[in-house]
């Protein structure tokens, strides 16, 4: 006699069904070119949920076609890992995209005309915000005077950052909103603001943004990044750059929205475990990014061993100005040691050779306190790292410091007639941004834009690294592409991402581009090959003058953030 088993309650079965995790959605992409080290001849890829499940050739793709939820016909398009921009100021980028952008102004009168038009169009704005002026490219060779700004803005508060964001001009009405600004370091009667004066005025100007304005700017920047095939941004924030509300609001927007990932750094010195915990509570993964060791070359505030060639205000024509040192080696050592002890990534903004010397000496001193192995494992990073020497490059390699660099700086300011040469003289200018020497020494590279200093432009960034204005510093397209995809992930401690292999995050972009080529294995960046026997995945021909690839789709974690939806 068998035991009677009652029929389960249908409602119970329904509840059981609803409680089961949904099967990950699967997508097959086929009929294109898939850039993957797993198979240099791959034409197809399977995505399962938020991970890459398979990469291979067209014949094998047939076996997947009936078992997936969607098949995407690539029609010859290229699929690559999504780019990671390793240094961005998201809100400022969005304000440049949606607000007053002076980067295209070719003369001082044109800039003033744009300011008048913008002021007329924004009568309700409490403070007018703009970015991108560069007196170095204007025939007048000087920034606008305060009287000119006051007239153009109609007497209203106006804040305008120089293209490098390390100095700014402001109207009298804005200065009057900042008590004591005229007594702060970096204030001169009718010259751009630098240092503490600049930070105070910037804080006052950005404090006038409403939450809605800030969110609008951030959303615009994230949308622009997604449209360019960028899947991850490293936000470099801090108390001298943007407020905590700006930073936490951006991280929340990125978590909740359908856009690129945002990894946050907060640039504030750490002296204790309590300080480190506060950084984490903000949502940052490191006390790094723009923790300033110095300023910028364009604003004469990068810290140099030898004076600027065009020092402002030099007596008797003899250069004497060597920039501004914000941190000493002992300050660097204290910060790095405290961060390492707390398991937190540390980092600095350092451009001038003296600033980079202080950073390397400081990190080495920290290694003597807490151990070289722990320092190397922490993957501390240095932003910009432009005026490196053989000694500091060797220090980067010894200490496993990541160089977070911006090749578009060289494209914009390098060369015999560029801003670098004007500030430093041609001989010193030729030593800047030595990417080949960094790679030869084994220094990890992560590429970015420092947007809005230079625009979000990933393929243009790769091109600038390959076709460096100082030929000896150029690197291969493959190395530059890797530094702009996988390099950004490695810089945040992730070695499993930024590459299209099974198990990796499904962060990828689809591109319309021309014939793919493989750079020949020698030092001449102009030599290319289309021979498939190389066994190396091809990349677009980035030779200057050629069209750059056009993004068709960007996917982050299996979600389409730009282009036609995949669900």
């Amino acid at each position: 006699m068998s035991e009677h088993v009652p029929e389960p309650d249908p409602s119970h079965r329904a509840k059981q069904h609803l409680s089961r995790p949904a099967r990950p959605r699967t997508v097959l992409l086929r009929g294109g070119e898939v850039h993957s080290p797993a198979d240099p001849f791959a034409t197809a890829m399977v995505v399962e949920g938020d991970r890459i499940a398979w990469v291979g050739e067209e014949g094998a793709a047939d076996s997947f076609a009936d078992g997936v939820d969607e098949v995407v016909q690539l029609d010859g398009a290229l699929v690559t890992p999504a780019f990671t921009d390793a240094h961005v100021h998201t809100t400022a980028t969005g304000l440049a995209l949606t607000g007053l952008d002076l980067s295209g102004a070719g003369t001082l009168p044109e800039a003033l005309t744009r300011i008048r038009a913008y002021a007329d169009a924004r009568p309700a704005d409490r403070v007018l915000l703009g970015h991108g002026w560069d007196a170095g490219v204007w025939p007048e060779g000087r920034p606008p005077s305060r009287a000119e700004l006051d007239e153009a803005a109609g007497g209203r508060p106006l804040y305008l950052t120089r293209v490098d964001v390390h100095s700014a001009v402001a109207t009298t009405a804005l200065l009057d909103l900042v008590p004591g600004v005229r007594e702060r370091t970096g204030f001169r009667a009718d010259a751009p603001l630098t240092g503490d004066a600049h930070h105070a005025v910037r804080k006052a100007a950005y404090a006038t943004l409403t939450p809605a304005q800030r969110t609008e700017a951030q959303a615009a920047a994230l949308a622009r990044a997604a449209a360019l095939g960028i899947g991850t941004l490293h936000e470099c924030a801090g108390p001298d750059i943007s407020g905590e509300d700006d930073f936490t609001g951006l991280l929340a927007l990125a978590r909740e929205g359908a856009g690129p990932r945002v990894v946050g750094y907060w640039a504030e010195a750490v002296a204790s475990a309590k300080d480190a915990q506060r950084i984490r509570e903000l949502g940052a993964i490191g006390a790094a990014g723009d923790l300033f060791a110095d300023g910028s070359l364009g604003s004469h505030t990068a810290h140099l061993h030898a004076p600027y060639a065009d020092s402002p205000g030099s007596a008797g024509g003899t250069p004497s100005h060597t920039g501004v040192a914000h941190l000493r080696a002992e300050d660097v050592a204290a910060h790095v040691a405290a961060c390492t002890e707390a398991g937190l990534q540390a980092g600095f903004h350092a451009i001038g050779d003296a600033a980079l010397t202080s950073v390397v000496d400081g990190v080495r001193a920290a290694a003597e306190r807490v151990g070289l192995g722990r320092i190397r494992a922490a993957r501390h990073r240095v932003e910009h790292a432009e005026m490196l020497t053989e000694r500091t490059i060797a220090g980067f390699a010894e200490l496993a410091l990541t160089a977070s660099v911006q090749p578009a700086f060289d494209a914009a300011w390098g060369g015999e007639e560029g801003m670098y040469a004007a500030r430093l003289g041609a001989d010193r200018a030729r030593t800047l941004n030595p990417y080949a020497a960094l790679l030869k020494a084994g220094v990890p590279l992560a590429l970015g834009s420092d947007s809005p200093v230079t625009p979000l432009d990933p393929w243009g960034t790769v091109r600038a690294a390959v076709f460096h204005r100082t030929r000896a510093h150029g690197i291969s397209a493959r190395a530059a592409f890797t530094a702009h995809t996988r390099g950004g992930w490695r810089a945040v401690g992730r070695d499993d991402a930024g590459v299209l292999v099974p198990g990796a995050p499904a962060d990828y972009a689809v591109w319309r581009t021309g014939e793919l080529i493989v750079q020949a294995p020698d030092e001449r960046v102009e030599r290319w090959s289309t021979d498939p026997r190389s066994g190396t995945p091809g990349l677009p021909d980035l030779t200057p003058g050629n069209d750059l690839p056009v993004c068709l789709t960007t996917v982050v974690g299996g979600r389409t953030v730009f282009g036609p939806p995949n669900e």
Side-chain angles (χ1 to χ4, degrees):
M1 182 177 172
S2 62
E3 182 181 1
H4 173 68
V5 178
E7 183 70 20
D9 179 0
S11 65
H12 178 66
R13 287 201 306 270
K15 290 174 185 175
Q16 284 185 316
H17 174 73
L18 290 172
S19 66
R20 292 193 199 110
R23 180 181 64 84
R25 191 170 182 280
T26 54
V27 179
L28 168 64
L29 298 90
R30 66 184 306 179
E33 301 279 353
V34 179
H35 186 92
S36 172
D39 185 346
F41 309 107
T43 62
M45 180 172 78
V46 174
V47 175
E48 184 175 305
D50 62 355
R51 296 278 161 175
I52 306 296
W54 173 83
V55 174
E57 298 177 49
E58 196 63 27
D62 289 335
S63 62
F64 293 98
D66 292 335
V68 298
D69 297 304
E70 181 183 1
V71 176
V72 175
Q73 297 292 342
L74 294 170
D75 297 325
L78 170 67
V79 183
T80 71
F83 285 100
T84 294
D85 192 311
H87 192 120
V88 175
H89 304 286
T90 308
T91 303
T93 296
L95 291 172
L97 290 169
T98 60
L100 175 56
D101 182 3
L102 295 179
S103 59
T107 67
L108 175 55
E110 182 183 348
L112 294 171
T113 298
R114 291 190 183 194
I115 293 169
R116 291 186 193 97
Y118 186 77
D120 289 343
R122 309 278 294 205
D125 287 7
R126 184 179 167 197
V127 173
L128 301 169
L129 301 171
H131 166 76
W133 61 268
D134 184 0
V137 301
W138 292 345
E140 298 80 10
R142 66 171 181 86
S145 69
R146 192 152 294 126
E148 289 169 330
L149 287 177
D150 289 347
E151 184 277 327
R156 297 167 63 189
L158 167 69
Y159 171 75
L160 291 175
T161 49
R162 189 186 179 278
V163 64
D164 61 4
V165 198
H166 283 271
S167 59
V169 291
T171 56
T172 303
L174 179 56
L175 296 178
D176 289 343
L177 297 177
V178 187
V181 68
R182 292 168 176 83
E183 285 73 51
R184 287 179 177 262
T185 303
F187 180 88
R188 288 179 289 164
D190 201 19
L193 303 164
T194 61
D196 289 344
H198 177 214
H199 296 159
V201 171
R202 172 166 52 193
K203 184 176 182 179
Y206 281 1
T208 66
L209 284 174
T210 66
Q213 286 175 308
R214 186 173 61 223
T215 300
E216 177 190 15
Q218 292 170 348
L222 294 176
R224 178 65 175 159
L228 293 169
I230 298 170
T232 302
L233 303 172
H234 294 183
E235 167 67 12
C236 292
D240 290 332
I241 301 163
S242 57
E244 292 184 7
D245 288 347
D246 181 279
F247 182 62
T248 57
L250 171 63
L251 297 182
L253 180 66
R255 285 193 302 269
E256 296 164 5
R261 304 174 190 268
V262 176
V263 177
Y265 286 97
W266 186 255
E268 192 166 1
V270 168
S272 65
K274 183 177 179 180
D275 291 343
Q277 182 59 29
R278 198 185 77 80
I279 298 288
R280 288 193 176 95
E281 288 171 355
L282 285 175
I285 70 161
D290 277 336
L291 182 54
F292 296 119
D294 66 346
S296 73
L297 291 167
S299 293
H300 291 95
T301 52
H303 188 208
L304 313 182
H305 283 304
Y308 284 87
D310 62 345
S311 298
S314 300
T318 303
S320 59
H321 181 60
T322 56
V324 180
H326 294 299
L327 296 174
R328 302 165 299 169
E330 49 265 42
D331 301 320
V332 171
H335 177 69
V336 172
C339 286
T340 305
E341 293 280 12
L344 190 68
Q345 193 176 23
F348 305 91
H349 160 121
I351 288 178
D353 51 1
L356 287 160
T357 296
S358 294
V359 167
V360 168
D361 289 350
V363 178
R364 187 176 286 117
E368 293 172 0
R369 296 184 201 175
V370 303
L372 179 60
R374 293 179 70 187
I375 292 291
R376 290 178 59 88
R379 303 190 188 188
H380 302 309
R381 53 190 282 173
V382 181
E383 310 301 314
H384 315 310
E386 294 192 72
M387 290 188 70
L388 289 158
T389 64
E390 289 185 7
R391 178 178 176 272
T392 48
I393 290 172
F396 270 51
E398 172 198 355
L399 301 163
L401 295 174
T402 294
S404 171
V405 298
Q406 296 75 40
F409 287 7
D410 174 73
W413 304 318
E416 298 296 310
E417 305 297 327
M419 182 272 286
Y420 290 154
R423 294 290 185 269
L424 304 171
D427 289 343
R428 274 194 295 176
R430 292 189 199 102
T431 69
L432 265 61
N433 302 303
Y435 304 140
L438 286 165
L439 286 181
K440 185 176 181 181
V443 176
L445 290 185
L447 303 192
S449 63
D450 198 12
S451 180
V453 175
T454 57
L456 299 170
D457 181 13
W459 286 112
T461 296
V462 174
R463 172 186 279 173
V466 176
F467 295 95
H468 199 291
R469 288 180 177 270
T470 302
R471 182 171 175 145
H473 298 332
I475 59 177
S476 71
R478 183 181 181 189
F481 179 78
T482 299
H484 211 356
T485 49
R486 198 168 193 180
W489 282 97
R490 286 172 167 167
V492 299
R494 291 280 301 272
D495 294 330
D496 64 330
V499 61
L500 301 182
V501 297
D507 287 26
Y508 61 91
V510 181
W511 308 90
R512 182 175 68 245
T513 188
E515 184 178 29
L516 303 184
I517 53 181
V518 176
Q519 191 174 337
D522 67 9
E523 296 181 355
R524 292 173 295 171
V525 297
E526 294 85 357
R527 278 191 56 189
W528 307 91
S529 169
T530 56
D531 189 343
R533 292 173 299 176
S534 67
T536 300
L539 286 168
D541 184 350
L542 302 176
T543 302
N546 287 353
D547 291 337
L548 293 175
V550 174
C551 186
L552 304 175
T553 306
T554 306
V555 175
V556 176
R559 298 178 296 109
T560 299
V561 298
F562 172 75
N566 64 359
E567 55 185 48

